[in-house]
Amino acid sequence: MFNGMFVGVQPGDKTGWEDEKDCISSDMKFQLYRPLMDRLINEVCVSMNAINLSFVEFVILKALVSFKSSSCSDVTTGLKKFMHVHMDTILRALNVHYQSLGMNKEEIAHRTGNVILMMSSIFAVGMECMESHQKIQFFDLWQLDDLLIKLIQRGGGTTTF
């Protein structure tokens, strides 16, 4: 979790799903977060495993998601251009990495496409997470972390590729 905590993901595992004193009940936590956790596992983690995502590809994906999500924020045109240039550089570095592994152009295109397509699942789950936290804040279901509230208020825009 963003705050360093963790929850069990196996069916029936109650680790991390306990009541939080003066904060949120176990039932409320499970109701709010389990569907999101399941979606994250099924749409992101299972997909990463299915394509056998390497550590290098994971790092590239993380960098692309970071740059893309930041470039959709309220930043200057010059900074957006800067970020897009660096995203192109990251993709070129991925291409060089694949070439160093001896992949042909078709394999490189396929792997690169898989990495880029992972971004849409990550952003979709991220948007659902933001919506969930906005509901928690709106209905005052429990007190959110101040940093998380700032991120929610700053985010909320849609991402296009």
Side-chain angles (χ1 to χ4, degrees):
M1 308 302 277
F2 70 93
N3 61 359
M5 301 295 287
F6 61 91
V7 294
V9 296
Q10 296 296 325
D13 187 351
K14 301 291 184 190
T15 305
W17 296 104
E18 302 90 2
D19 289 342
E20 293 184 32
K21 188 177 177 181
D22 300 326
C23 190
I24 185 172
S25 71
S26 174
D27 291 338
M28 173 82 65
K29 190 190 304 186
F30 196 83
Q31 183 181 7
L32 289 169
Y33 290 109
R34 187 62 200 210
L36 184 59
M37 181 73 64
D38 289 340
R39 185 171 179 202
L40 175 68
I41 290 168
N42 293 328
E43 294 182 26
V44 178
C45 298
V46 169
S47 297
M48 286 179 173
N49 190 46
I51 66 171
N52 197 22
L53 194 74
S54 71
F55 180 74
V56 171
E57 290 168 323
F58 176 77
V59 171
I60 294 287
L61 177 61
K62 195 171 182 178
L64 290 171
V65 167
S66 297
F67 272 109
K68 186 63 181 172
S69 61
S70 297
S71 70
C72 294
S73 298
D74 194 19
V75 296
T76 65
T77 305
L79 185 54
K80 282 183 185 183
K81 184 177 179 182
F82 175 83
M83 289 179 181
H84 287 290
V85 166
H86 283 282
M87 286 174 60
D88 289 343
T89 302
I90 290 167
L91 288 169
R92 280 194 298 279
L94 182 60
N95 190 14
V96 168
H97 169 70
Y98 288 147
Q99 288 174 359
S100 74
L101 296 176
M103 291 183 177
N104 64 40
K105 288 182 181 184
E106 188 175 303
E107 291 171 313
I108 291 172
H110 186 259
R111 291 298 296 182
T112 302
N114 282 336
V115 171
I116 291 171
L117 286 172
M118 285 297 309
M119 290 174 64
S120 62
S121 295
I122 292 168
F123 280 114
V125 172
M127 287 302 296
E128 185 176 334
C129 184
M130 290 254 292
E131 290 170 11
S132 175
H133 283 95
Q134 287 172 336
K135 289 176 192 173
I136 291 168
Q137 185 180 19
F138 181 78
F139 292 110
D140 198 23
L141 298 175
W142 65 289
Q143 186 60 42
L144 295 173
D145 179 75
D146 289 338
L147 177 60
L148 182 60
I149 291 171
K150 288 177 185 176
L151 291 172
I152 291 169
Q153 291 170 343
R154 200 167 163 234
T158 57
T159 301
T160 55
F161 298 100

